[in-house]
Amino acid sequence: MSMSSSPGEDLLAIEEAANNFLSQEYDFRRRNIYLQGTGNVERSLWRRFADLGWLGLSLPEDYGGAGGSAVESWMLLQRLGAYLVLEPYLSSVVVCGWPLVTHGRKQVRDRLLPELIAGRIQLSLALNEPEGKHPNIITTLATPMDGGWRLVGHKSVVLGAPTADYLLLSARCDAQRIVLLIRPDDAGVMIRPYRLIDGRTAGEILFDGARVGPDSLLAVGPEADELLDVARLAGAFGCVAESVGVMKAALAATVEHVRARRQFGQALSGFQAIRHRIAAMHIACEEADALGWRAAQAYSLADPKERLAAIAAAKSDVGQSARRVCEEAVQFHGAIAITDEFPVGHYLKRAVVNERLFGNSELWTEHFSKAVFGWP
Amino acid sequence: MSMSSSPGEDLLAIEEAANNFLSQEYDFRRRNIYLQGTGNVERSLWRRFADLGWLGLSLPEDYGGAGGSAVESWMLLQRLGAYLVLEPYLSSVVVCGWPLVTHGRKQVRDRLLPELIAGRIQLSLALNEPEGKHPNIITTLATPMDGGWRLVGHKSVVLGAPTADYLLLSARCDAQRIVLLIRPDDAGVMIRPYRLIDGRTAGEILFDGARVGPDSLLAVGPEADELLDVARLAGAFGCVAESVGVMKAALAATVEHVRARRQFGQALSGFQAIRHRIAAMHIACEEADALGWRAAQAYSLADPKERLAAIAAAKSDVGQSARRVCEEAVQFHGAIAITDEFPVGHYLKRAVVNERLFGNSELWTEHFSKAVFGWP
Amino acid sequence: MSDVPVADELGGFRAEVQRFLVSALPPELAARTKAGHTLSRDELMFWHRTLHGRGWVAPGWPTEHGGAGWSILQRHIYDEEAARAGAPSIIPMALTIVGPLLIAHGTDAQRTKYLPRILDGSEIWCQAWSEPEAGSDLASLRCHAERIGDEYVVNGTKIWTTFAQWADRCMLLARTATGDRQQFGITILLIDMKDPGVSIRPLPSLDGMHVLNQVYFDNVRVLVSDRVGPEDEGWGLLKSTVGHERILNADVGRARALLDRLIRTVQANPGAQPGLRSRVARAAIRLRSLEVLVMRALDSPDPANASGASIIKLLGTELQQEASWLMSEALGLYGLPYLPDVMQNGWQNEIPIGPDDAATVTPFYLFWRKASISAGTSEIMRNLIAQQVLGR
Amino acid sequence: MSDVPVADELGGFRAEVQRFLVSALPPELAARTKAGHTLSRDELMFWHRTLHGRGWVAPGWPTEHGGAGWSILQRHIYDEEAARAGAPSIIPMALTIVGPLLIAHGTDAQRTKYLPRILDGSEIWCQAWSEPEAGSDLASLRCHAERIGDEYVVNGTKIWTTFAQWADRCMLLARTATGDRQQFGITILLIDMKDPGVSIRPLPSLDGMHVLNQVYFDNVRVLVSDRVGPEDEGWGLLKSTVGHERILNADVGRARALLDRLIRTVQANPGAQPGLRSRVARAAIRLRSLEVLVMRALDSPDPANASGASIIKLLGTELQQEASWLMSEALGLYGLPYLPDVMQNGWQNEIPIGPDDAATVTPFYLFWRKASISAGTSEIMRNLIAQQVLGR
């Protein structure tokens, strides 16, 4: 198949539309108001995301989506990052929606995806556990009982959990992995909600003998493994896309600042040491954008190893470099960027969170080495 | 005990004397002439080193030395690095001489050390083997035979081997390690000599059934282990000291160059990006000097763990930072530094070799973690 | 981690400091400091008064003014031991700047009026220096004081004023004249924060805490008797007083406390990745070199102007920033929740989310990006270092 | 490593290049190139003539002048495949600079006289641009040409002249006038290296090899008919011609070949440390991003001036330097011996010291520090990038 090196006009149109909407409805002042909310009042915005076609952008037309591929989401997610959008788009649409296109019980998918695309529900993947860093280790136990399951365990730092209508829960059942679809208000499910440092919601989920019925089964065994793999890759890719948007926004703010701000009789942009470091920030943005774009395109490749390699390469690079670019942005802005009133520090927060979610740079460098060189 | 934070006047006098001699007898032009030699003609210089008191500087007075501690050598070794001295001071005096002060059979030590201090012999430690990076793995076999040993094995990249009068050889004998003192002209010992990229001599040593007599025994078992440990630490420390001298010299040359060289109508030293990077070079030199100084002082500490930690910290840092400072020096000098006629590239060569000898930064970072944090 | 070697004769002093800390520092307070909790005003002032009781609250002041009269080396030793023990850092402005300035350049009346209340903690001070358009280039400040009779009338605004919300008094840099040299025409005034025309806008930091403020002066009247030194000459007075602080600002004691905490975090987390461990070791190695550089600066005849002072400020802050990041990374996902109540009060009756002291770590990392910005940005430090090496 | 995605329509071209390389490139030569041996003049000229036989020796020239008329994308594809196959890089100066310059700005007589002998390899060219006091700031050059009748008389010296020792002819930048703008008054002259007054001083490089030279001109006489373009206007001609080269200079093909060699070295060395492996992976990841950036630049309407060109030059050379260092490091102690004969001729009848191709690695690392210096230093690239981002 033929691949392009940069987004074409159709994709740029998505970017422009997103900018138009977000600059109106999600400027930094409005965002601060949303941030004061409980995390659940913005369903009106969520429904507008649906109206804008964002929720179904890369989901199949059969379910009411636009049938796009990952490159369309690549454009949108960058904007959601750049505007520091708090809604659980990543956790709901990308991490849960994308795997449901191809994996899981068909009845469940056919029911959930149209609801998701229409903006009527939000989803969250309950995967991480407190014990280990490695997401493959699952200790939450699903014991078969009365045709359904009894759940005991603890899921930690679950992105989007507090507002989710459904949770995709990974658990161990006998020697296999299993993915169940449960509701936060199922008996025996307790969520401790909080915000992350970047303002997005997350929570601890405790299962103390919760009981769920037989219809909650989503996938089991190899099917569950694959679903979780797809979800993790989607999560990594989504973090990359958001963070590339974040770092570009941080760079743009910094360029504007150093041109305007004067010190010792000249604009900051006149100091060569600063100029060279801003050149380095720009290069980091270009490299990150190139890797993210390649990862987005890799979603259309038949070769799953190349897809893994492309996403791993991007997550490995962008995690760190987005944070470093944002640290530089803070440094060049000076003390103003240490205040919570000013957007630049929030770019750094978002970059920090995205660097760590779904595996950090070191982990994905290992994934890359394994996929490409066969190194253990 | 009381420790000072910087060298006092007595130590500065050693530095000054070394500078006086080397700037006369070992300027870069003369060095190039020495470099054209076979590697063995400079015994006249070696004997002058003895006359200057350098060979016995940190060796006991009983053997004719000056009875100094490691801090005296710290001053001298930096100068030997800064002047890119080719003589096997490090391999002979530091790597072999220092452990012989405290370890090995007394008859042998009593015979060798006075000869070494008087400049009549050179020594070399045959430790590394081609199989592994880790110096603890010894496969060279010493089989007891007729009261002596039969030797089969291969020692690789042995610093100073081509000019050594005696080799300290590590080998395996039954389940223990053993250190033997052999001569390069012993039957069955073959040396393939070469220069390293920095001009110092080294060689491969092949033992194909060589036979050595009972009097060649230097140490066996735990005594051999200790002797080799002391030698490795001494080698690491010596590389640090040399490289700190090298990086200071590279910085000094760079400072001179950027002040003199004009581009686009101003001195290079007027460009802020260059100024900040030269500040970083200076900081790297200060940090390296501080760690090296602390390591030199640690030789006087009773606590062997702190000595190991101090030397490991220094080798871990200085290996990399000396190379990076020299790479910057080359970059700022431009094309002239790519020519072999100009000293700056030779600083880089020396830094590269010292970074790798006796274990690289990564290895010594691990040693440090183990000694200080108990990490595996 | 081993101690940096220190001359014997101060061993006795170190032991005295240790004894005091053991007896005077409540374990709960030490635990809160070590866990990085945001301390309350009461907690900070409790420790201020405790130090005052021991005569140590103003370590650098001469004894005749109620100070401890310590050398900079003794101050360094105290800082080290205090950080190790988990003693809080008290609110510093009055003790490190205002006091020394008054002692050197104030009038007897000013000293009599202000110093005792600084020492006993009955008045908290802030320093109003930076302005929205004058940060690193402090001399370009514009907040203006006009002399009218025996008063100055101050108009303008100051920013990044630490603890202005608690301050009773303020040391202000105001412009009284403009000329060719920006440094000329700056005057130091002492202001009562309760005076009419003084108002404060809180500036919450990235960690959500309230430390920084913007202060507005709207026709605030100050008696000429509350001017320190001659009119227009404040810049020179200030430069001659701030001196030492750059070395102590590196706060090796705090860096070591941070690193110790980092190492405990990594130890407690056997899954920590090898790359992270290696970076932790590198940070520990850099701390060792910083310790030697600090000792060298302190041993030099004029520590304040020792050529190493800028390097120490730069390295010290970089190292603290690196350690705070590594600690956040070592916590993995548990470094991400934002729990402001827990940052202040610790876990009360709930089961902690993640390790006990996790909540303070990433917010500290975020707030502490400030370290390379305040008290001379890292860029200014590099300019100074380059000047020492290259001239001009 | 996977290929960068490329539009279908060039698949046929790539296959054609591959077929040619398989049939025309002797395996021994490919092996020597891949092992990094220093190739002889005969080997380089053999490959020059082979390419000439296929019509590909001047890929960027228009076909009417005997070139291949390739687009820059085709040239990139050729470079990739050539690097992968182990084809040598031929002596480039005449083909990438002199030829395009004569085609654009030369006279018919100059083209007729010089181009055929460039193409068939019967004349080797060097370019004499830099001077001891004019490196990055090339326009400050001082080598001087004085017009006397229908001749110029050249006096001065040039440095870093690659392969001057083999060159039959030289393209010289000489100063013919001085004025307010340094760029004015530079004239391009074509010189026969056998002319009286031309002499050469070899400048061995850090790897001990002889590639660079200093060239002296002592009253060398050049006919006005050997001037390219108008007097004093050489700078503008040159700038309009050098264009593309910056993207191709990044030489992604070579970077990938280096990285492939690096990965083989690491694979063959199971003791390679985890830190090293992780840095190798990082380099491979950066190569991926460079591939996309190069494709973007090549896809843009004006690749030579695409804003990415400076980034590509900077990243490409950094990546090659990093890969060459990592390869040296992966060899451990066997990266240290200096064996100049083996660098040129490989191991003959001896047992190799260390891995077969170890001898070329560290010398290449040393020599290749040049990559961030020549053809625009990394500092100049950063200046250009900053200008694009920040203006001014």
Side-chain angles (χ1 to χ4, degrees):
Chain A
M1 60 161 298
S2 169
M3 291 261 180
S4 58
S5 61
S6 332
E9 277 179 28
D10 48 336
L11 294 181
L12 294 174
I14 293 173
E15 176 176 82
E16 198 189 334
N19 276 339
N20 287 343
F21 178 80
L22 293 168
S23 62
Q24 292 288 322
E25 304 292 332
Y26 228 104
D27 62 291
F28 191 65
R29 192 188 56 79
R30 277 200 185 71
R31 177 189 187 268
N32 277 341
I33 297 169
Y34 304 148
L35 188 54
Q36 305 312 316
T38 64
N40 222 336
V41 295
E42 298 84 5
R43 282 292 169 110
S44 61
L45 272 166
W46 189 250
R47 280 186 291 272
R48 293 190 65 185
F49 289 6
D51 298 342
L52 289 160
W54 290 359
L55 304 184
L57 188 63
S58 300
L59 294 173
E61 291 169 349
D62 294 351
Y63 296 119
S69 68
V71 292
E72 280 81 9
S73 291
W74 162 248
M75 303 306 289
L76 177 62
L77 283 161
Q78 285 188 64
R79 296 301 92 205
L80 299 180
Y83 282 92
L84 302 165
V85 167
L86 297 160
E87 275 64 25
Y89 189 94
L90 175 68
S91 51
S92 217
V93 176
V94 180
V95 175
C96 293
W98 291 14
L100 286 177
V101 173
T102 46
H103 291 80
R105 256 198 322 144
K106 189 150 182 346
Q107 298 101 299
V108 184
R109 293 153 55 188
D110 288 352
R111 179 162 56 86
L112 286 183
L113 284 171
E115 297 275 298
L116 175 66
I117 291 169
R120 285 192 291 271
I121 58 169
Q122 293 179 348
L123 304 173
S124 169
L125 175 72
L127 176 64
N128 313 306
E129 302 195 352
E131 279 70 21
K133 285 193 147 42
H134 205 288
N136 279 329
I137 301 166
I138 293 178
T139 63
T140 296
L141 220 60
T143 312
M145 189 168 286
D146 308 333
W149 290 268
R150 181 172 180 275
L151 303 173
V152 175
H154 179 178
K155 294 288 178 179
S156 58
V157 195
V158 178
L159 190 67
T163 66
D165 302 287
Y166 293 94
L167 299 165
L168 275 62
L169 172 71
S170 68
R172 214 149 46 79
C173 178
D174 303 326
Q176 302 192 93
R177 270 184 284 181
I178 186 173
V179 180
L180 300 171
L181 184 79
I182 66 170
R183 299 194 61 116
D185 48 9
D186 284 340
V189 178
M190 192 183 88
I191 300 189
R192 290 176 74 182
Y194 44 78
R195 287 191 186 271
L196 300 184
I197 51 163
D198 69 346
R200 280 181 287 181
T201 58
E204 304 294 293
I205 313 183
L206 298 158
F207 303 95
D208 187 11
R211 301 284 283 270
V212 296
D215 54 338
S216 56
L217 180 68
L218 197 53
V220 64
E223 174 75 3
D225 294 344
E226 274 179 35
L227 190 156
L228 295 173
D229 280 348
V230 173
R232 261 193 299 264
L233 273 185
F237 172 75
C239 287
V240 164
E242 276 197 14
S243 283
V244 170
V246 168
M247 66 202 283
K248 286 177 184 170
L251 173 61
T254 306
V255 166
E256 196 180 321
H257 175 79
V258 299
R259 284 162 121 172
R261 175 90 176 181
R262 298 182 68 80
Q263 244 175 37
F264 304 109
Q266 63 173 313
L268 278 184
S269 63
F271 291 94
Q272 197 198 24
I274 290 181
R275 293 178 75 80
H276 278 202
R277 280 162 67 185
I278 285 182
M281 291 167 74
H282 174 66
I283 293 169
C285 288
E286 292 288 298
E287 289 194 88
D289 184 82
L291 288 167
W293 172 248
R294 193 160 164 176
Q297 293 204 310
Y299 264 101
S300 307
L301 293 179
D303 180 7
K305 210 168 89 174
E306 170 54 22
R307 192 184 313 151
L308 170 59
I311 292 170
K315 185 72 163 89
S316 160
D317 180 84
V318 175
Q320 282 189 17
S321 73
R323 173 174 53 92
R324 289 203 184 121
V325 163
C326 292
E327 285 179 348
E328 286 286 81
V330 167
Q331 182 70 23
F332 291 142
H333 276 86
I336 183 89
I338 304 296
T339 65
D340 226 33
E341 294 184 335
F342 197 75
V344 167
H346 294 265
Y347 296 140
L348 175 58
K349 292 179 179 184
R350 185 81 160 212
V352 164
V353 172
N354 282 343
E355 177 175 6
R356 209 163 300 168
L357 290 177
F358 302 100
N360 68 4
S361 288
E362 188 170 351
L363 183 70
W364 284 99
T365 308
E366 286 166 20
H367 289 336
F368 177 84
S369 297
K370 192 170 177 190
V372 177
F373 311 136
W375 292 346
Chain B
M1 61 162 298
S2 169
M3 293 260 178
S4 57
S5 62
S6 336
E9 276 180 28
D10 47 337
L11 294 181
L12 294 174
I14 293 174
E15 176 176 82
E16 197 189 335
N19 277 339
N20 286 342
F21 177 79
L22 293 168
S23 62
Q24 293 288 322
E25 305 291 333
Y26 227 104
D27 62 290
F28 191 65
R29 192 188 58 77
R30 278 199 183 72
R31 177 189 186 267
N32 278 341
I33 298 168
Y34 305 149
L35 188 55
Q36 304 312 314
T38 64
N40 220 336
V41 295
E42 297 84 7
R43 282 291 171 112
S44 60
L45 272 166
W46 189 250
R47 278 186 294 271
R48 293 191 64 186
F49 288 8
D51 296 343
L52 289 160
W54 290 0
L55 303 184
L57 188 62
S58 300
L59 294 174
E61 291 170 346
D62 294 350
Y63 297 119
S69 68
V71 293
E72 281 81 7
S73 292
W74 161 248
M75 303 307 288
L76 177 61
L77 282 160
Q78 286 189 65
R79 296 298 94 206
L80 299 180
Y83 282 91
L84 302 165
V85 167
L86 297 161
E87 276 63 25
Y89 189 94
L90 175 68
S91 51
S92 219
V93 176
V94 180
V95 175
C96 293
W98 289 15
L100 287 177
V101 172
T102 47
H103 291 81
R105 259 200 314 144
K106 190 156 182 340
Q107 299 101 299
V108 184
R109 294 153 54 187
D110 287 352
R111 180 161 56 85
L112 286 183
L113 283 172
E115 298 275 299
L116 175 67
I117 291 169
R120 286 192 290 272
I121 58 167
Q122 293 178 347
L123 304 173
S124 169
L125 175 71
L127 176 65
N128 313 307
E129 302 195 353
E131 278 71 21
K133 285 192 147 45
H134 205 286
N136 279 331
I137 300 166
I138 293 178
T139 63
T140 296
L141 221 61
T143 313
M145 189 167 288
D146 309 336
W149 291 268
R150 182 173 180 275
L151 303 173
V152 176
H154 178 179
K155 292 289 179 179
S156 59
V157 195
V158 177
L159 190 67
T163 67
D165 301 287
Y166 293 94
L167 299 165
L168 274 61
L169 172 72
S170 67
R172 213 153 44 81
C173 178
D174 303 326
Q176 302 192 94
R177 270 185 286 181
I178 185 173
V179 181
L180 300 170
L181 184 80
I182 66 169
R183 298 193 62 114
D185 49 7
D186 284 340
V189 177
M190 193 183 86
I191 299 189
R192 288 176 75 182
Y194 45 77
R195 287 190 186 272
L196 300 183
I197 51 162
D198 69 346
R200 281 181 286 180
T201 60
E204 303 295 293
I205 314 183
L206 298 158
F207 304 94
D208 186 11
R211 302 283 284 270
V212 296
D215 54 340
S216 57
L217 180 69
L218 197 52
V220 65
E223 173 75 2
D225 294 342
E226 275 180 35
L227 190 155
L228 294 174
D229 280 348
V230 174
R232 262 193 299 264
L233 273 185
F237 172 74
C239 286
V240 164
E242 275 198 15
S243 283
V244 170
V246 168
M247 65 203 283
K248 286 178 185 170
L251 172 61
T254 306
V255 167
E256 196 179 322
H257 176 79
V258 299
R259 285 163 121 172
R261 176 90 174 180
R262 297 183 69 80
Q263 247 176 36
F264 304 108
Q266 63 172 315
L268 279 184
S269 62
F271 291 94
Q272 197 198 22
I274 290 181
R275 293 178 75 81
H276 278 202
R277 280 161 67 184
I278 286 182
M281 291 167 74
H282 174 67
I283 294 169
C285 287
E286 292 289 298
E287 289 194 87
D289 185 82
L291 288 168
W293 173 249
R294 191 159 166 179
Q297 294 205 308
Y299 265 102
S300 308
L301 293 179
D303 179 7
K305 210 169 87 174
E306 170 55 21
R307 191 184 313 150
L308 170 59
I311 292 170
K315 186 73 164 88
S316 161
D317 178 84
V318 175
Q320 282 188 17
S321 74
R323 173 172 55 89
R324 289 203 185 122
V325 163
C326 290
E327 286 179 348
E328 286 285 83
V330 168
Q331 182 70 21
F332 290 141
H333 275 84
I336 185 88
I338 305 295
T339 67
D340 225 31
E341 293 184 334
F342 198 77
V344 167
H346 294 266
Y347 296 138
L348 176 58
K349 292 179 180 185
R350 185 82 160 213
V352 164
V353 172
N354 282 343
E355 177 174 6
R356 211 163 301 168
L357 290 176
F358 302 100
N360 66 7
S361 289
E362 189 171 349
L363 183 70
W364 284 98
T365 308
E366 287 165 20
H367 289 338
F368 177 84
S369 297
K370 195 173 173 185
V372 177
F373 310 137
W375 291 346
Chain C
M1 312 229 36
S2 81
D3 286 343
V4 64
V6 159
D8 281 36
E9 52 271 28
L10 285 165
F13 176 74
R14 191 183 286 277
E16 188 183 353
V17 171
Q18 288 168 344
R19 275 193 307 275
F20 164 71
L21 290 167
V22 167
S23 68
L25 180 63
E28 313 75 50
L29 182 57
R32 275 174 56 69
T33 307
K34 284 186 177 181
H37 293 304
T38 305
L39 301 184
S40 68
R41 176 178 171 161
D42 284 350
E43 285 172 310
L44 295 174
M45 294 318 293
F46 160 78
W47 187 242
H48 183 113
R49 287 189 302 270
T50 306
L51 285 171
H52 180 53
R54 184 67 177 81
W56 287 357
V57 78
W61 299 11
T63 46
E64 64 265 36
H65 293 290
W70 287 346
S71 70
I72 190 164
L73 184 52
Q74 285 175 300
R75 292 176 65 182
H76 172 74
I77 291 171
Y78 172 82
D79 287 349
E80 279 196 328
E81 293 299 327
R84 185 195 312 252
S89 302
I90 58 174
I91 302 171
M93 281 70 76
L95 296 157
T96 57
I97 306 286
V98 181
L101 190 78
L102 291 180
I103 291 167
H105 305 289
T107 61
D108 283 340
Q110 287 170 339
R111 285 193 281 260
T112 309
K113 179 174 174 192
Y114 295 122
L115 296 187
R117 302 177 67 77
I118 287 176
L119 290 168
D120 69 12
S122 54
E123 284 182 353
I124 295 176
W125 284 69
C126 62
Q127 64 198 41
W129 294 6
S130 294
E131 298 181 8
E133 298 297 318
S136 288
D137 184 11
L138 189 57
S140 70
L141 60 86
R142 294 187 296 197
C143 178
H144 177 260
E146 191 183 356
R147 173 88 180 251
I148 299 179
D150 61 352
E151 286 184 335
Y152 289 94
V153 179
V154 178
N155 279 289
T157 183
K158 293 284 176 177
I159 200 164
W160 322 131
T161 313
T162 303
F163 292 136
Q165 75 271 31
W166 295 342
D168 302 288
R169 300 194 175 271
C170 166
M171 176 196 152
L172 176 79
L173 294 187
R175 183 158 296 287
T176 38
T178 50
D180 287 349
R181 284 176 53 254
Q182 286 188 325
Q183 286 78 2
F184 178 79
I186 293 173
T187 300
I188 300 175
L189 300 176
L190 307 179
I191 291 188
D192 187 328
M193 293 294 279
K194 289 180 290 295
D195 277 347
V198 177
S199 60
I200 291 175
R201 182 170 72 97
L203 296 171
S205 316
L206 285 182
D207 57 357
M209 299 294 122
H210 175 200
V211 171
L212 306 175
N213 301 273
Q214 183 161 5
V215 184
Y216 298 89
F217 301 92
D218 180 16
N219 285 318
V220 175
R221 291 171 178 274
V222 188
L223 287 173
V224 170
S225 60
D226 274 330
R227 184 187 74 210
V228 183
E231 186 172 284
D232 297 334
E233 302 288 349
W235 185 258
L237 304 188
L238 198 64
K239 284 210 93 171
S240 71
T241 310
V242 176
H244 288 166
E245 301 309 320
R246 196 169 287 155
I247 298 174
L248 295 176
N249 271 341
D251 209 341
V252 177
R254 168 144 52 171
R256 189 193 289 159
L258 256 176
L259 213 62
D260 285 347
R261 189 175 165 202
L262 166 60
I263 289 155
R264 284 195 305 272
T265 308
V266 174
Q267 311 276 35
N269 196 332
Q273 294 158 307
L276 175 69
R277 283 172 179 255
S278 162
R279 282 179 290 144
V280 169
R282 291 276 314 134
I285 289 168
R286 296 196 78 190
L287 175 60
R288 284 177 163 253
S289 85
L290 182 62
E291 286 170 343
V292 177
L293 294 175
V294 168
M295 289 311 298
R296 283 186 178 175
L298 297 179
D299 275 355
S300 79
D302 180 6
N305 296 312
S307 67
S310 309
I311 296 180
I312 288 166
K313 156 68 165 85
L314 182 66
L315 291 183
T317 51
E318 273 181 4
L319 186 58
Q320 290 182 45
Q321 291 182 332
E322 173 72 3
S324 71
W325 170 252
L326 290 171
M327 191 147 44
S328 171
E329 218 180 316
L331 289 169
L333 289 172
Y334 275 130
L336 300 183
Y338 177 61
L339 304 160
D341 288 347
V342 182
M343 284 168 63
Q344 295 186 66
N345 306 319
W347 290 101
Q348 303 296 326
N349 298 316
E350 292 169 296
I351 299 166
I353 292 173
D356 257 28
D357 62 352
T360 57
V361 172
T362 310
F364 179 78
Y365 155 78
L366 290 166
F367 177 70
W368 207 233
R369 299 311 302 170
K370 175 175 177 293
S372 51
I373 293 170
S374 57
T377 65
S378 292
E379 289 68 41
I380 299 279
M381 293 304 119
R382 287 190 196 95
N383 283 345
L384 293 171
I385 296 162
Q387 207 167 330
Q388 286 157 9
V389 179
L390 291 165
R392 232 186 29 115
Chain D
M1 315 232 35
S2 80
D3 288 340
V4 63
V6 159
D8 280 38
E9 53 272 27
L10 286 166
F13 176 75
R14 191 182 285 276
E16 189 184 353
V17 171
Q18 288 169 343
R19 276 194 305 276
F20 164 74
L21 290 167
V22 166
S23 68
L25 180 64
E28 312 77 48
L29 182 57
R32 275 173 56 68
T33 308
K34 285 186 176 178
H37 293 307
T38 306
L39 300 184
S40 68
R41 175 177 172 164
D42 285 351
E43 286 173 309
L44 294 175
M45 294 317 293
F46 160 79
W47 188 242
H48 183 113
R49 286 189 303 271
T50 306
L51 286 171
H52 179 52
R54 185 65 177 81
W56 287 358
V57 78
W61 300 11
T63 47
E64 64 266 34
H65 292 290
W70 287 347
S71 71
I72 192 165
L73 184 52
Q74 285 175 302
R75 294 175 66 182
H76 173 72
I77 291 172
Y78 172 82
D79 287 350
E80 278 196 330
E81 293 300 326
R84 184 195 312 251
S89 301
I90 58 174
I91 302 172
M93 282 70 77
L95 296 158
T96 57
I97 306 288
V98 182
L101 190 76
L102 291 180
I103 291 167
H105 305 291
T107 61
D108 283 341
Q110 288 170 338
R111 286 193 279 260
T112 309
K113 180 174 173 191
Y114 295 121
L115 294 189
R117 299 174 69 76
I118 287 176
L119 289 168
D120 70 11
S122 53
E123 284 182 355
I124 295 176
W125 284 70
C126 63
Q127 64 198 41
W129 294 6
S130 294
E131 298 181 8
E133 297 297 319
S136 288
D137 185 11
L138 189 56
S140 69
L141 58 86
R142 293 188 299 196
C143 178
H144 177 259
E146 190 183 355
R147 173 87 178 253
I148 300 179
D150 60 352
E151 288 184 335
Y152 288 94
V153 180
V154 179
N155 279 289
T157 184
K158 292 285 176 175
I159 201 163
W160 323 130
T161 314
T162 304
F163 291 137
Q165 75 271 32
W166 295 342
D168 302 289
R169 299 194 174 273
C170 167
M171 177 196 151
L172 176 79
L173 293 187
R175 181 155 299 285
T176 40
T178 51
D180 287 349
R181 286 177 52 254
Q182 287 189 325
Q183 287 78 3
F184 178 79
I186 292 173
T187 300
I188 301 175
L189 300 176
L190 307 179
I191 291 188
D192 187 330
M193 293 292 280
K194 289 178 292 294
D195 277 347
V198 178
S199 60
I200 291 174
R201 182 169 75 97
L203 296 171
S205 316
L206 286 182
D207 58 356
M209 299 294 123
H210 175 200
V211 171
L212 305 175
N213 300 274
Q214 184 161 6
V215 183
Y216 298 89
F217 300 93
D218 182 15
N219 284 317
V220 175
R221 290 169 179 276
V222 188
L223 288 172
V224 170
S225 60
D226 275 332
R227 185 189 73 211
V228 183
E231 189 172 283
D232 297 335
E233 303 289 350
W235 185 258
L237 304 188
L238 199 65
K239 283 210 94 172
S240 69
T241 310
V242 176
H244 287 166
E245 301 308 321
R246 195 169 289 156
I247 298 174
L248 295 176
N249 269 342
D251 210 340
V252 177
R254 167 143 54 174
R256 189 192 291 158
L258 256 175
L259 213 62
D260 285 347
R261 191 175 163 202
L262 166 61
I263 289 156
R264 285 195 304 275
T265 307
V266 174
Q267 311 277 34
N269 197 329
Q273 294 156 309
L276 176 67
R277 285 174 177 253
S278 161
R279 282 180 290 144
V280 169
R282 290 276 314 136
I285 288 169
R286 296 195 77 191
L287 175 60
R288 285 177 161 252
S289 86
L290 182 61
E291 286 170 342
V292 177
L293 294 175
V294 168
M295 291 310 299
R296 282 185 178 176
L298 297 179
D299 276 354
S300 80
D302 180 7
N305 295 314
S307 67
S310 309
I311 296 180
I312 289 166
K313 157 58 165 96
L314 182 66
L315 291 183
T317 52
E318 271 181 5
L319 185 58
Q320 290 182 46
Q321 291 182 331
E322 173 72 3
S324 71
W325 171 253
L326 291 171
M327 191 147 45
S328 171
E329 217 179 317
L331 289 168
L333 290 172
Y334 276 130
L336 299 182
Y338 176 60
L339 305 160
D341 289 346
V342 182
M343 283 168 63
Q344 295 186 66
N345 306 317
W347 290 102
Q348 303 296 325
N349 298 316
E350 294 170 294
I351 300 166
I353 292 173
D356 258 30
D357 62 350
T360 58
V361 172
T362 310
F364 179 78
Y365 155 77
L366 291 166
F367 177 69
W368 208 231
R369 299 313 303 171
K370 178 176 175 292
S372 52
I373 294 169
S374 56
T377 65
S378 293
E379 288 70 39
I380 299 280
M381 294 304 118
R382 286 191 198 97
N383 283 345
L384 292 172
I385 296 163
Q387 208 166 328
Q388 287 157 11
V389 180
L390 291 165
R392 238 196 15 133

